[in-house]
Amino acid sequence: MPGALDPILKPRSIAVVGASRSPDTIGHQIVSNLVNHGFTGAVFPVNPKAKSIHSIPAWPSLAALPEPPDLAVISVPKELVAGTAEEAAAAGVKGLAVISAGFREVGAQGAAREEQLLAITRRHGIRMLGPNCMGVINNAPGFRMNATFAPVMPGFGPAAFVSQSGALGVNVLDYARELGIGMSQFLSMGNKADISGNDCLLQWEDDPDVGVILMYVENFGNPRRFLEIASRVTRSKPIIALKAGRSEVGARAASSHTGALAASDVAVDALLAQAGVLRAGSIEELFDMAMAFTATTPVRVPRSRRVGVVTNSGGPGVLAADALEANGLQVVDFMTETVERLRPLFPAEASIRNPLDMIASANPAGYRVALDAILRDPNIDSAVAIFTPPLGVRIPEVAEAIGEVAEKHPGKPVIGVLMGRDGLPQGKAELLMHGVSTYIFPESAARALAAMLRYGEQSRRPARELPALDVDRECARGILDAARAAGELKLGEIAAIDLLRAYGIPAVAAALAPDVDTAVAIAEAAGYPVVLKVVSPQVIHKSDVGGVRVGLADAPAVRKAYDDIQRSVRKAHPDAVIDGVLVSPMVPPGRELIAGISRVAGFGALLMVGLGGVYVEAMRDVSLRLAPVDRRDARDMLGALRSRRILDALRGEPAADLDAIADVLVRLGLLAGDFPEIEELDINPLRILGAKPIALDARVLLKSS
């Protein structure tokens, strides 16, 4: 609910329980921060043994306060926290920020203590930050609240940050101040027993002081709810997330830190991509993106991937071009008119192309005219201006020239790169005044511009809308119920194909032959050539054990193939139960994909598409989203594949019908949502026949209970 966190983020008065006269304590530091940074409300230090703290009258208990505070910041020994929460409720407190540690993060005993604390807050309708958190900041002029023990206070600006790590939060505030990233609000969630990242997104969605949301996350308590909220928020405000636990070791560490299981990273990638959230791979990358999104309000985003580069040194220009291309941007040619306008203005040694190298003699006037010409070029929708300080040129003057030109072209964002030891410190202020984010290295600028592009594309997308599909749910239910009744957790091949057909997914005709004579009869009826595939509960990857024969042109070939399959499978699996072979018409060779669904704890059904056939495990070129998906999500999945170009027109083959493939993915996602008892489903291969997809084989596993 919007505004639900107002007692914590926008309190009119704050009590600090555990306030201390000792400067080296957390309770003292919180009172000091509230006073020194100019909190606009009343501050009530609570300490039964002190008359005053930080020159402010202290109170012996919450009950003794002259008025009920909106927020109580609790920094007392863990054994006293529950009792303090009860006192806060009796005193009329509306919000708690529990700094004290010793809860779920320390094991079972701490988890029980946390459950007791949460039960108290919920019984009294109090919202709680923490426990084991660093506190909260609201930097807006009307509040100026620093209810943390952090030693720094950032400048005011459009960024809001929510962190699951207190120590990282301290560093974030420090870096934000150093880099000039203005911050409006900051929350340290700690164990997030009550207030979560989802709550913060809801609070900030319509907050005019918040223009970009930054997150450090170690686990998602409710990924589906996050997807719902973040998908909506990212249409108007960028969200940048640093999610810890990419590696197995990192996931274990995150689990140990927060007391909750870290989710599979592939599921996290799918979640963030689908929600339109920009994922940072490091703290450095998080700040690279944050600087780009906080330089101007509203955020300037490129209209296309076409970018121009201007520099006074060839090397950085080449590095910038490489980094831009690697991040999905296009360093395109300038229009002829632009080149002709610029050529007479620079020495013959200058390179009047993209990147535009004005050489070391370039001065502020050169940057002014060159950047203006680039931004006037219809082929260019953003620019990177790089300056390597030579002798005799004042950095602030170049920065001022770049900034003035950028301000003349608000529809085309400009990123600055000021290299060298003195470059960024001397010119950053001038560029920031004009809304130009600035970096030391071209690679950082490329990452930032790519993030702006992705956000722009996301914000222009229509709202997610699941299509209405004509499917036969009763037929699908009958297939799954029949398998359950027979005690089977793996559908037979025929049942699996029929399940796909029930949801409108094109699939090859197939029939089960329990013996060789039946195989011949089916082949004769279907028409040659045909394919034979072994049917056995013990065999998952049929081709690995010689369980597939293709291109069988007549009855003798079918008989021989049947016997060969039996021998090959028996050799690989002597105890295998062979139910026969699946006989289907031979489908011409073509490009192959894999598509499927699987369940991830906490995330639900995950939809997958990738390069298929025998190469799926070797190449691992797959794209994932949380099911169900709409058609745009499905098209995005295909576009994210490294091998996506195999779907283009290639060596005489027509371009694959991407809409038809997307339709298969949408239908698979719907199937996963309708029947949660499906644990796994693979279509491999999903062959492109002409331009259309057709499922040649399917494997369906059901949950055991």
Side-chain angles (χ1 to χ4, degrees):
M1 179 186 301
L5 304 188
D6 283 357
I8 290 172
L9 275 167
K10 300 179 179 181
R12 292 163 298 181
S13 55
I14 300 174
V16 181
V17 186
S20 172
R21 287 173 293 189
S22 301
D24 58 348
T25 62
I26 288 176
H28 180 90
Q29 184 64 48
I30 292 172
V31 175
S32 176
N33 281 346
L34 286 169
V35 173
N36 291 337
H37 294 298
F39 175 55
T40 55
V43 178
F44 302 113
V46 176
N47 185 321
K49 299 179 181 179
K51 293 293 185 182
S52 65
I53 294 172
H54 215 286
S55 302
I56 300 175
W59 303 83
S61 67
L62 286 167
L65 296 180
E67 64 182 71
D70 287 338
L71 172 65
V73 181
I74 299 177
S75 179
V76 299
K78 58 184 180 294
E79 296 84 5
L80 303 180
V81 172
T84 304
E86 290 281 17
E87 292 175 18
V93 173
K94 300 180 179 67
L96 298 180
V98 181
I99 311 298
S100 309
F103 293 86
R104 179 162 41 103
E105 77 279 4
V106 300
Q109 188 175 4
R113 196 178 291 121
E114 186 171 307
E115 286 298 321
Q116 178 191 13
L117 176 61
L118 183 60
I120 293 168
T121 60
R122 287 184 173 168
R123 186 168 66 248
H124 295 286
I126 297 173
R127 297 310 304 266
M128 177 178 66
L129 191 64
N132 185 31
C133 75
M134 193 182 86
V136 57
I137 291 174
N138 187 338
N139 207 8
F143 292 94
R144 294 294 300 167
M145 174 187 68
N146 185 343
T148 75
F149 52 86
V152 296
M153 182 80 160
F156 178 70
F161 193 99
V162 56
S163 175
Q164 206 168 334
S165 164
L168 181 65
V170 173
N171 291 324
V172 162
L173 294 173
D174 196 20
Y175 293 149
R177 182 165 183 154
E178 180 182 338
L179 296 172
I181 296 174
M183 197 164 290
S184 59
Q185 297 172 39
F186 168 89
L187 284 97
S188 165
M189 293 186 295
N191 293 2
K192 59 176 188 177
D194 176 31
I195 293 174
S196 67
N198 289 348
D199 293 311
C200 295
L201 294 183
L202 287 171
Q203 178 77 16
W204 291 332
E205 181 176 6
D206 297 316
D207 191 325
D209 287 335
V210 176
V212 55
I213 298 170
L214 313 177
M215 308 182 76
Y216 170 76
V217 184
E218 292 178 355
N219 61 68
F220 289 93
N222 189 340
R224 292 278 169 175
R225 181 66 172 147
F226 176 86
L227 176 61
E228 175 191 340
I229 300 168
S231 297
R232 188 176 66 242
V233 173
T234 53
R235 295 178 58 76
S236 58
K237 297 180 181 182
I239 301 174
I240 307 170
L242 175 59
K243 167 64 175 69
R246 278 188 179 272
S247 67
E248 183 178 344
V249 174
R252 281 203 308 271
S255 175
S256 173
H257 181 204
T258 64
L261 181 65
S264 165
D265 198 63
V266 295
V268 171
D269 263 339
L271 171 68
L272 297 180
Q274 199 163 348
V277 174
L278 301 167
R279 183 170 188 176
S282 65
I283 296 175
E284 179 186 9
E285 190 171 343
L286 178 80
F287 278 105
D288 284 347
M289 294 183 190
M291 284 194 288
F293 286 109
T294 56
T296 60
T297 303
V299 175
R300 298 173 184 169
V301 295
R303 290 192 294 257
S304 77
R305 296 175 178 267
R306 300 170 306 194
V307 57
V309 179
V310 59
T311 179
N312 66 339
S313 177
V318 173
L319 291 174
D322 288 344
L324 290 164
E325 293 278 358
N327 281 278
L329 294 143
Q330 300 168 352
V331 183
V332 298
D333 292 336
F334 298 136
M335 292 192 69
T336 303
E337 293 84 347
T338 302
V339 175
E340 291 176 349
R341 186 181 306 123
L342 289 170
R343 194 179 300 280
L345 304 177
F346 294 98
E349 297 83 5
S351 176
I352 311 301
R353 58 187 179 188
N354 200 6
L356 171 57
D357 179 9
M358 300 179 293
I359 69 173
S361 59
N363 56 24
Y367 271 92
R368 187 174 278 106
V369 68
L371 184 58
D372 184 67
I374 288 173
L375 293 175
R376 290 180 185 277
D377 192 316
N379 272 5
I380 301 299
D381 284 312
S382 61
V384 176
I386 306 170
F387 179 64
T388 302
L391 293 173
V393 179
R394 295 188 68 248
I395 298 169
E397 292 178 0
V398 172
E400 183 68 24
I402 294 170
E404 287 176 356
V405 175
E407 211 161 28
K408 286 172 55 181
H409 300 273
K412 296 186 177 184
V414 175
I415 302 289
V417 178
L418 300 179
M419 303 185 70
R421 185 181 63 183
D422 299 326
L424 188 61
Q426 291 190 22
K428 180 174 67 174
E430 286 78 6
L431 286 169
L432 285 177
M433 284 175 56
H434 295 284
V436 177
S437 58
T438 311
Y439 304 88
I440 299 176
F441 301 115
E443 293 82 0
S444 297
R447 281 196 299 264
L449 191 57
M452 295 168 72
L453 174 75
R454 292 197 301 274
Y455 169 67
E457 292 173 343
Q458 170 68 24
S459 63
R460 290 191 293 267
R461 287 180 57 161
R464 187 166 174 262
E465 184 177 352
L466 298 177
L469 299 174
D470 183 16
V471 299
D472 192 340
R473 289 181 176 85
E474 289 186 9
C475 176
R477 169 53 65 199
I479 293 169
L480 297 174
D481 287 349
R484 287 280 193 190
E488 297 173 352
L489 296 180
K490 179 178 182 292
L491 293 191
E493 277 80 351
I494 299 295
I497 291 296
D498 288 344
L499 182 67
L500 297 182
R501 285 207 183 97
Y503 267 65
I505 297 170
V508 68
L512 177 64
D515 54 61
V516 68
D517 290 334
T518 305
V520 171
I522 294 172
E524 296 283 351
Y528 294 105
V530 295
V531 176
L532 266 57
K533 300 176 183 177
V534 68
V535 177
S536 169
Q538 287 76 37
V539 177
I540 296 177
H541 302 295
K542 301 176 179 65
S543 58
D544 290 351
V545 296
V548 179
R549 295 293 185 277
V550 301
L552 308 176
D554 51 33
V558 170
R559 292 183 181 278
K560 182 177 185 304
Y562 189 95
D563 292 340
D564 289 346
I565 287 173
Q566 295 279 327
R567 282 194 298 272
S568 296
V569 173
R570 292 286 182 208
K571 183 177 179 181
H573 294 282
D575 299 325
V577 175
I578 299 178
D579 297 325
V581 297
L582 206 64
V583 183
S584 57
M586 179 71 184
V587 175
R591 295 158 287 182
E592 294 184 343
L593 298 173
I594 182 173
I597 53 180
S598 62
R599 305 277 169 183
V600 177
F603 285 73
L606 208 61
L607 180 67
M608 177 265 290
V609 68
L611 182 64
V614 298
Y615 302 110
V616 60
E617 292 181 359
M619 302 301 293
R620 296 186 180 275
D621 181 18
V622 297
S623 177
L624 302 106
R625 293 291 187 274
L626 273 65
V629 298
D630 65 6
R631 289 196 168 91
R632 188 175 291 270
D633 284 334
R635 287 293 298 263
D636 285 349
M637 292 176 71
L638 296 172
L641 296 173
R642 298 191 307 274
S643 56
R644 60 188 175 276
R645 290 184 179 177
I646 70 166
L647 301 175
D648 297 338
L650 188 67
R651 293 191 174 182
E653 292 185 277
D657 187 336
L658 298 182
D659 288 333
I661 300 172
D663 185 66
V664 169
L665 298 178
V666 171
R667 291 173 182 276
L668 270 179
L670 180 62
L671 178 62
D674 287 347
F675 298 101
E677 63 263 45
I678 298 176
E679 182 71 21
E680 293 182 23
L681 188 157
D682 287 340
I683 301 174
N684 189 23
L686 180 68
R687 183 166 293 173
I688 309 303
L689 184 58
K692 302 291 185 180
I694 182 170
L696 301 191
D697 200 358
R699 179 178 69 98
V700 181
L701 302 180
L702 306 181
K703 290 183 179 179
S704 57
S705 59

